[in-house]
């Protein structure tokens, strides 16, 4: 009776993993950085973020209606 022979595993290909990322994975951080940079350079525009709770409510209502469809 013969013993089973162990063979070496197949050598991995050098192609590697697919490292492509979607376009928005780079666009969103760049957009956030540019927005914050503009707020730092011109702080007079920052008043819109503090004094307009109605704008935030309007945005949240629009998002609710969009997801309800």
């Amino acid at each position: 009776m013969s013993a089973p022979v162990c063979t070496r595993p197949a050598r991995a290909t050098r192609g590697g993993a697919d490292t492509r990322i979607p376009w928005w994975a780079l666009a969103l951080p760049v957009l956030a950085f540019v927005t914050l940079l503009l707020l730092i350079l011109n702080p007079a525009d920052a008043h819109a973020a503090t004094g307009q709770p109605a704008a935030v409510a309007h945005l949240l209502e629009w998002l609710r209606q969009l997801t309800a469809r």
Side-chain angles (χ1 to χ4, degrees):
M1 187 161 154
S2 62
V5 177
C6 294
T7 60
R8 288 186 172 179
R11 181 177 270 193
T13 61
R14 294 217 171 225
D18 187 19
T19 57
R20 295 187 61 177
I21 59 173
W23 63 268
W24 51 264
L26 181 62
L28 290 179
V30 168
L31 180 65
F33 177 77
V34 168
T35 303
L36 291 174
L37 183 63
L38 289 175
L39 284 174
I40 290 171
L41 294 177
N42 192 3
D45 292 338
H47 67 77
T50 60
Q52 298 293 332
V56 174
H58 180 69
L59 176 66
L60 292 175
E61 179 63 24
W62 178 77
L63 286 173
R64 188 189 64 76
Q65 290 175 357
L66 185 66
T67 56
R69 291 183 186 185

